[in-house]
Amino acid sequence: MAYIIESVAFNTTTGIGVDTHMHRMFNQLKWVNNAKTPEQTREQLEGWLPRDYWAEVNVLWVGFGQETQQQKEKALRKAFACSRPVEALGLYKKVGMDIKKEAKRFGLEEEVTRVMCGGDGVSKK
């Protein structure tokens, strides 16, 4: 978290702050090679990701991870409303979200079907 605070509060970035959500996601996305701890994930990311992107990673991916792990209904609704909902749902699936299960849990099955079928009843995937 110190790297994230440093980046946001002081506009200085000396590392990538990896929380448990980011650690899990970056392994699922295969951005790191079987990292066992958040610290290993941070070290691997910093090894290949250009430093110019570290601040963006700190802000964007922490929020994304928290939403996809803890605020799943909010994340699904954002996917439905975005300009590329099929791709958004595909990303959620890659980071471990069970789209059908969560849609059912929140009463969003029709929205998932609409997005995945483009409104014509024919699956896009």
Side-chain angles (χ1 to χ4, degrees), residues 18 20-21 44 48 57 62 67-68 77 80 87 104:
V18 176
T20 56
H21 302 104
Q44 288 185 35
W48 67 265
V57 167
V62 167
E67 282 191 7
T68 58
R77 290 187 184 281
F80 302 146
E87 291 83 354
K104 183 175 182 178

Side-chain angles (χ1 to χ4, degrees), residues 1-17 46 51 54-55 58-59:
M1 284 305 262
Y3 290 121
I4 297 166
I5 292 168
E6 171 191 58
S7 181
V8 173
F10 302 106
N11 201 29
T12 302
T13 304
T14 60
I16 299 173
E46 289 177 0
R51 185 179 279 264
W54 291 4
N58 282 337
V59 174

Side-chain angles (χ1 to χ4, degrees), residues 104-123:
K104 183 175 182 178
R105 180 175 164 209
F106 298 113
L108 301 171
E109 300 99 329
E110 287 183 25
E111 287 88 339
V112 169
T113 300
R114 179 186 53 76
V115 166
M116 298 310 290
C117 296
D120 59 10
V122 178
S123 179

Side-chain angles (χ1 to χ4, degrees), residues 2-113:
Y3 290 121
I4 297 166
I5 292 168
E6 171 191 58
S7 181
V8 173
F10 302 106
N11 201 29
T12 302
T13 304
T14 60
I16 299 173
V18 176
D19 67 3
T20 56
H21 302 104
M22 292 171 67
H23 167 65
R24 185 179 307 119
M25 287 187 311
F26 291 141
N27 271 287
Q28 291 166 322
L29 291 170
K30 308 241 185 284
W31 283 21
V32 295
N33 185 18
N34 199 30
K36 301 291 185 203
T37 66
E39 180 64 15
Q40 288 178 356
T41 297
R42 181 191 64 78
E43 290 170 352
Q44 288 185 35
L45 285 172
E46 289 177 0
W48 67 265
L49 188 67
R51 185 179 279 264
D52 291 346
Y53 295 109
W54 291 4
E56 291 176 48
V57 167
N58 282 337
V59 174
L60 294 175
W61 284 96
V62 167
F64 180 79
Q66 289 173 344
E67 282 191 7
T68 58
Q69 298 296 315
Q70 298 172 348
Q71 300 172 353
K72 296 176 181 178
E73 180 180 13
K74 180 179 178 181
L76 287 171
R77 290 187 184 281
K78 282 185 176 182
F80 302 146
C82 79
S83 62
R84 297 176 64 179
V86 172
E87 291 83 354
L89 292 177
L91 178 59
Y92 290 169
K93 190 172 182 177
K94 283 184 181 179
V95 297
M97 184 186 290
D98 184 331
I99 303 297
K100 289 183 181 181
K101 175 184 163 189
E102 298 303 333
K104 183 175 182 178
R105 180 175 164 209
F106 298 113
L108 301 171
E109 300 99 329
E110 287 183 25
E111 287 88 339
V112 169
T113 300

